[in-house]
Amino acid sequence: MASAGASAQQDLAVEADRVSKVFGGKTEVRALDDVSVAIRRNEFFTLLGPSGCGKTTLLRMIAGFEPPTSGTIRLAGKDITHLPPNKRPVNTVFQNYALFPHMTVGGNIGFGLEELRKSKAEVEAQVDKMLQLVRMESLKARMPSALSGGQQQRVALARALAPHPEVLLLDEPLSALDLKLRKEMQTELKRLQSETGITFIFVTHDQEEALTMSDRVAVMSEGRILQVGSPKDIYINPVNRFVADFIGETNFLSGTVEGSAVRMSWGDVLDVKTGRPAGTKVTLAVRPEQVRVGVAGKDSGAGATVTEAVYFGTDTHLHLALADGTPLVARLQNPPSGDDGLGVGAKVTVRFADGAVKALED
Amino acid sequence: MAERKRRRFSITALPGFSTLAIVTFLVLYVPIVTMVVYSFNASMSVAVWGGFSLEWYVYAWNNTLVQEATVRSVIIAVCASGIATTVATMAALGTTRRGRYKGQTIIYLLINQPLMVPEIVTAVALLIVFASIKVATGYTGLAYLIIAHSAFCIPFAYLPIRARLEGMDLTLEIASADLYASPWRAFRRVTLPLLAPGIAAGAMLAFVISLDDVIITEFVKSAGQDTLPTYMLGQLRRAVTPEVNAISTALLVLTVLLLTLFYLLTRRRD
């Protein structure tokens, strides 16, 4: 079915092209604001953002539950913007699972295949295969109300995967599970994705989930996509303050551009590329694990005072104040002795790992 | 409320609560028990006990007027509850399968109108309309009663169906659409099976309400169209015999059975 020359489009599973969604009513809400994103075939793609950022709205549009106010949604290059959900080869795992309470586990999983008018034997075989895939073989005849939350989650997954959709949409599917089960399901989802070869679009507000599971992440805020990239890319090179703050922990510093370097608020000059003219005020970010803490009078670096030391077992978070009062958190791995002797009030020096300080867009 | 926090208020702790409760139950059930007991009375009188007998049941059973009235009542109740339940189901689907909308309250009021307008007003209104139709067409069949009963049964069927729909997760319908079900298939395979207990409950309630109606029936019926309740009313106007007690007791048993079924159906929520 592949035609030569369409390879660029063939590689894309889903494209949103300048999609906007305005919810009417007395106060207009712009849930999505001119969003464009291209999701590749077979990738685990995550839409990450705080609640109300538009990630679920975008997902519902790809599923066909909600029409965009403007813009186009394409599936494998085909315009599906106005196709109803039952005509899209896309399935959804719902946040509350939405299992049919009057059907057995097997009935739930077979629903989509039956609606696709598959033969009885085919449905039966595929249901069994799915039950095996999610390791629920023994529960085929159970009713959903007789299942635990984790089991319901697996049935919901199996039901959505059974018709072998081109794209699987997952709407915060792990949010209702407890921590241990959630970790288990994260691994499980990765396994299912690589075993089935289906494109997964995953919605979450949990940055750790996004970092550990995804091939690529789109960080969203207030109806816009701020940055798309691999988890590493987004963690190391956040484009702006929101992304840096939302993904992991970050220290924000301020400085003024001086030539090809930046003069920091406490007077030191750091070699940071900004691409902005001299005299411009810039915000910079540095991760706590990239802060090197030394002994005052022995190691070089900017002087700082410990204001608080929080012990976390594997590491200690040192809250520091630089000469001008700028707060800074350093994460230090704990030595075998368990104590680095840095208490509140201790004088230390601070350096940053090479390339660890990043200038942010405003 | 602040009042509640200071001193836990319990109505059962008020003086005279148990007395009031007992009196209320007596007022509710003594007449019914009396009626049931006297339906087995061997004597002709309604007030003097003359020994146990089933003669009034036999008498009522063999009375062709009672037979005809019973058949008529059942035909009307079956037709009216069928029509009312169908209309009520559609109305409930139309009023709940969406978010809040303008005029929602007005639509609820319009649907539930028969619950609020005094029945006598509806009866008089129907009498006037039907009388002119009767004159114009010459038709005097049961259709008038069926239409009238269907109309006032709608809210009774509507309420349990709407309650059931409101408790239903809308995502289930979205999920079935996501799994390739057309809107009609989604309705058939998901909405309708989940709604079935509500529909059954609504139908039963409508059936009982229709079976029991006197006022509207009395106004709308043509000559010789007595239903069971209007026949009994006619009997009481002449002489009160325990036959009426027997018929009432039979109706009571039927109603209790239906309402028990209604309860069982609505209770089984999940």
Side-chain angles (χ1 to χ4, degrees), chain A residues 303-320:
Chain A
T305 313
V306 177
T307 56
E308 206 184 340
V310 186
Y311 181 71
F312 276 91
T314 54
D315 45 26
T316 297
H317 293 191
L318 278 187
H319 294 248
L320 307 167

PDB file of all heavy atoms in Angstrom, chain A residues 303-320:
ATOM      1  N   GLY A 303      31.617  31.893  46.793  1.00  0.00           N
ATOM      2  CA  GLY A 303      31.340  31.621  48.201  1.00  0.00           C
ATOM      3  C   GLY A 303      29.857  31.483  48.455  1.00  0.00           C
ATOM      4  O   GLY A 303      29.043  32.179  47.859  1.00  0.00           O
ATOM      5  N   ALA A 304      29.507  30.562  49.335  1.00  0.00           N
ATOM      6  CA  ALA A 304      28.104  30.381  49.683  1.00  0.00           C
ATOM      7  C   ALA A 304      27.990  29.848  51.092  1.00  0.00           C
ATOM      8  O   ALA A 304      28.955  29.326  51.648  1.00  0.00           O
ATOM      9  CB  ALA A 304      27.432  29.419  48.711  1.00  0.00           C
ATOM     10  N   THR A 305      26.779  30.014  51.677  1.00  0.00           N
ATOM     11  CA  THR A 305      26.535  29.548  53.036  1.00  0.00           C
ATOM     12  C   THR A 305      25.418  28.519  53.012  1.00  0.00           C
ATOM     13  O   THR A 305      24.425  28.686  52.298  1.00  0.00           O
ATOM     14  CB  THR A 305      26.086  30.743  53.921  1.00  0.00           C
ATOM     15  OG1 THR A 305      26.979  31.820  53.676  1.00  0.00           O
ATOM     16  CG2 THR A 305      26.119  30.370  55.396  1.00  0.00           C
ATOM     17  N   VAL A 306      25.575  27.455  53.799  1.00  0.00           N
ATOM     18  CA  VAL A 306      24.516  26.436  53.878  1.00  0.00           C
ATOM     19  C   VAL A 306      23.385  26.981  54.737  1.00  0.00           C
ATOM     20  O   VAL A 306      23.604  27.439  55.856  1.00  0.00           O
ATOM     21  CB  VAL A 306      25.070  25.129  54.502  1.00  0.00           C
ATOM     22  CG1 VAL A 306      23.944  24.104  54.654  1.00  0.00           C
ATOM     23  CG2 VAL A 306      26.203  24.575  53.660  1.00  0.00           C
ATOM     24  N   THR A 307      22.152  26.978  54.195  1.00  0.00           N
ATOM     25  CA  THR A 307      21.013  27.445  54.985  1.00  0.00           C
ATOM     26  C   THR A 307      20.163  26.284  55.493  1.00  0.00           C
ATOM     27  O   THR A 307      19.404  26.414  56.437  1.00  0.00           O
ATOM     28  CB  THR A 307      20.110  28.381  54.163  1.00  0.00           C
ATOM     29  OG1 THR A 307      19.703  27.673  52.988  1.00  0.00           O
ATOM     30  CG2 THR A 307      20.828  29.645  53.761  1.00  0.00           C
ATOM     31  N   GLU A 308      20.283  25.141  54.808  1.00  0.00           N
ATOM     32  CA  GLU A 308      19.495  23.985  55.222  1.00  0.00           C
ATOM     33  C   GLU A 308      20.097  22.745  54.574  1.00  0.00           C
ATOM     34  O   GLU A 308      20.574  22.807  53.446  1.00  0.00           O
ATOM     35  CB  GLU A 308      18.047  24.160  54.742  1.00  0.00           C
ATOM     36  CG  GLU A 308      17.036  23.414  55.585  1.00  0.00           C
ATOM     37  CD  GLU A 308      15.630  23.525  55.032  1.00  0.00           C
ATOM     38  OE1 GLU A 308      15.368  24.454  54.240  1.00  0.00           O
ATOM     39  OE2 GLU A 308      14.810  22.667  55.373  1.00  0.00           O
ATOM     40  N   ALA A 309      20.105  21.645  55.293  1.00  0.00           N
ATOM     41  CA  ALA A 309      20.577  20.391  54.715  1.00  0.00           C
ATOM     42  C   ALA A 309      19.498  19.340  54.921  1.00  0.00           C
ATOM     43  O   ALA A 309      19.098  19.066  56.040  1.00  0.00           O
ATOM     44  CB  ALA A 309      21.878  19.959  55.387  1.00  0.00           C
ATOM     45  N   VAL A 310      18.971  18.792  53.808  1.00  0.00           N
ATOM     46  CA  VAL A 310      17.889  17.801  53.916  1.00  0.00           C
ATOM     47  C   VAL A 310      18.422  16.449  53.468  1.00  0.00           C
ATOM     48  O   VAL A 310      18.887  16.293  52.347  1.00  0.00           O
ATOM     49  CB  VAL A 310      16.676  18.222  53.057  1.00  0.00           C
ATOM     50  CG1 VAL A 310      15.507  17.260  53.285  1.00  0.00           C
ATOM     51  CG2 VAL A 310      16.264  19.647  53.380  1.00  0.00           C
ATOM     52  N   TYR A 311      18.330  15.488  54.367  1.00  0.00           N
ATOM     53  CA  TYR A 311      18.876  14.158  54.124  1.00  0.00           C
ATOM     54  C   TYR A 311      17.845  13.285  53.410  1.00  0.00           C
ATOM     55  O   TYR A 311      16.716  13.185  53.850  1.00  0.00           O
ATOM     56  CB  TYR A 311      19.272  13.552  55.470  1.00  0.00           C
ATOM     57  CG  TYR A 311      19.882  12.183  55.377  1.00  0.00           C
ATOM     58  CD1 TYR A 311      21.164  12.011  54.858  1.00  0.00           C
ATOM     59  CD2 TYR A 311      19.182  11.065  55.810  1.00  0.00           C
ATOM     60  CE1 TYR A 311      21.726  10.751  54.768  1.00  0.00           C
ATOM     61  CE2 TYR A 311      19.737   9.797  55.725  1.00  0.00           C
ATOM     62  CZ  TYR A 311      21.016   9.651  55.199  1.00  0.00           C
ATOM     63  OH  TYR A 311      21.576   8.400  55.127  1.00  0.00           O
ATOM     64  N   PHE A 312      18.221  12.677  52.268  1.00  0.00           N
ATOM     65  CA  PHE A 312      17.284  11.850  51.495  1.00  0.00           C
ATOM     66  C   PHE A 312      17.718  10.403  51.392  1.00  0.00           C
ATOM     67  O   PHE A 312      17.241   9.674  50.542  1.00  0.00           O
ATOM     68  CB  PHE A 312      17.128  12.405  50.077  1.00  0.00           C
ATOM     69  CG  PHE A 312      16.113  13.502  49.972  1.00  0.00           C
ATOM     70  CD1 PHE A 312      16.488  14.820  50.124  1.00  0.00           C
ATOM     71  CD2 PHE A 312      14.779  13.205  49.729  1.00  0.00           C
ATOM     72  CE1 PHE A 312      15.548  15.829  50.038  1.00  0.00           C
ATOM     73  CE2 PHE A 312      13.840  14.214  49.642  1.00  0.00           C
ATOM     74  CZ  PHE A 312      14.225  15.526  49.799  1.00  0.00           C
ATOM     75  N   GLY A 313      18.694   9.982  52.179  1.00  0.00           N
ATOM     76  CA  GLY A 313      19.162   8.604  52.079  1.00  0.00           C
ATOM     77  C   GLY A 313      20.276   8.471  51.060  1.00  0.00           C
ATOM     78  O   GLY A 313      21.449   8.463  51.419  1.00  0.00           O
ATOM     79  N   THR A 314      19.884   8.407  49.761  1.00  0.00           N
ATOM     80  CA  THR A 314      20.932   8.281  48.742  1.00  0.00           C
ATOM     81  C   THR A 314      21.718   9.575  48.606  1.00  0.00           C
ATOM     82  O   THR A 314      22.901   9.566  48.306  1.00  0.00           O
ATOM     83  CB  THR A 314      20.342   7.946  47.362  1.00  0.00           C
ATOM     84  OG1 THR A 314      19.353   8.917  47.061  1.00  0.00           O
ATOM     85  CG2 THR A 314      19.742   6.569  47.338  1.00  0.00           C
ATOM     86  N   ASP A 315      21.044  10.709  48.802  1.00  0.00           N
ATOM     87  CA  ASP A 315      21.765  11.974  48.685  1.00  0.00           C
ATOM     88  C   ASP A 315      21.225  13.005  49.671  1.00  0.00           C
ATOM     89  O   ASP A 315      20.234  12.771  50.361  1.00  0.00           O
ATOM     90  CB  ASP A 315      21.723  12.514  47.248  1.00  0.00           C
ATOM     91  CG  ASP A 315      20.345  12.432  46.642  1.00  0.00           C
ATOM     92  OD1 ASP A 315      19.351  12.442  47.415  1.00  0.00           O
ATOM     93  OD2 ASP A 315      20.236  12.361  45.414  1.00  0.00           O
ATOM     94  N   THR A 316      21.959  14.108  49.734  1.00  0.00           N
ATOM     95  CA  THR A 316      21.549  15.196  50.613  1.00  0.00           C
ATOM     96  C   THR A 316      21.310  16.432  49.759  1.00  0.00           C
ATOM     97  O   THR A 316      22.078  16.702  48.826  1.00  0.00           O
ATOM     98  CB  THR A 316      22.649  15.493  51.655  1.00  0.00           C
ATOM     99  OG1 THR A 316      22.823  14.336  52.466  1.00  0.00           O
ATOM    100  CG2 THR A 316      22.286  16.674  52.534  1.00  0.00           C
ATOM    101  N   HIS A 317      20.220  17.129  50.022  1.00  0.00           N
ATOM    102  CA  HIS A 317      19.967  18.387  49.311  1.00  0.00           C
ATOM    103  C   HIS A 317      20.452  19.527  50.190  1.00  0.00           C
ATOM    104  O   HIS A 317      19.925  19.755  51.268  1.00  0.00           O
ATOM    105  CB  HIS A 317      18.476  18.558  49.024  1.00  0.00           C
ATOM    106  CG  HIS A 317      17.949  17.557  48.040  1.00  0.00           C
ATOM    107  ND1 HIS A 317      16.715  17.657  47.474  1.00  0.00           N
ATOM    108  CD2 HIS A 317      18.509  16.438  47.519  1.00  0.00           C
ATOM    109  CE1 HIS A 317      16.519  16.631  46.645  1.00  0.00           C
ATOM    110  NE2 HIS A 317      17.602  15.879  46.655  1.00  0.00           N
ATOM    111  N   LEU A 318      21.481  20.216  49.694  1.00  0.00           N
ATOM    112  CA  LEU A 318      22.005  21.361  50.426  1.00  0.00           C
ATOM    113  C   LEU A 318      21.365  22.622  49.887  1.00  0.00           C
ATOM    114  O   LEU A 318      21.439  22.905  48.691  1.00  0.00           O
ATOM    115  CB  LEU A 318      23.518  21.464  50.236  1.00  0.00           C
ATOM    116  CG  LEU A 318      24.446  20.600  51.086  1.00  0.00           C
ATOM    117  CD1 LEU A 318      25.882  21.024  50.818  1.00  0.00           C
ATOM    118  CD2 LEU A 318      24.104  20.702  52.559  1.00  0.00           C
ATOM    119  N   HIS A 319      20.688  23.348  50.762  1.00  0.00           N
ATOM    120  CA  HIS A 319      20.147  24.652  50.355  1.00  0.00           C
ATOM    121  C   HIS A 319      21.204  25.687  50.696  1.00  0.00           C
ATOM    122  O   HIS A 319      21.636  25.787  51.847  1.00  0.00           O
ATOM    123  CB  HIS A 319      18.837  24.944  51.085  1.00  0.00           C
ATOM    124  CG  HIS A 319      17.741  24.005  50.687  1.00  0.00           C
ATOM    125  ND1 HIS A 319      16.640  24.423  49.985  1.00  0.00           N
ATOM    126  CD2 HIS A 319      17.592  22.673  50.878  1.00  0.00           C
ATOM    127  CE1 HIS A 319      15.851  23.382  49.757  1.00  0.00           C
ATOM    128  NE2 HIS A 319      16.403  22.311  50.292  1.00  0.00           N
ATOM    129  N   LEU A 320      21.610  26.435  49.660  1.00  0.00           N
ATOM    130  CA  LEU A 320      22.712  27.382  49.849  1.00  0.00           C
ATOM    131  C   LEU A 320      22.241  28.797  49.553  1.00  0.00           C
ATOM    132  O   LEU A 320      21.254  29.002  48.842  1.00  0.00           O
ATOM    133  CB  LEU A 320      23.863  27.048  48.887  1.00  0.00           C
ATOM    134  CG  LEU A 320      24.363  25.595  48.914  1.00  0.00           C
ATOM    135  CD1 LEU A 320      25.250  25.332  47.702  1.00  0.00           C
ATOM    136  CD2 LEU A 320      25.126  25.335  50.200  1.00  0.00           C
TER     137      LEU A 320
END
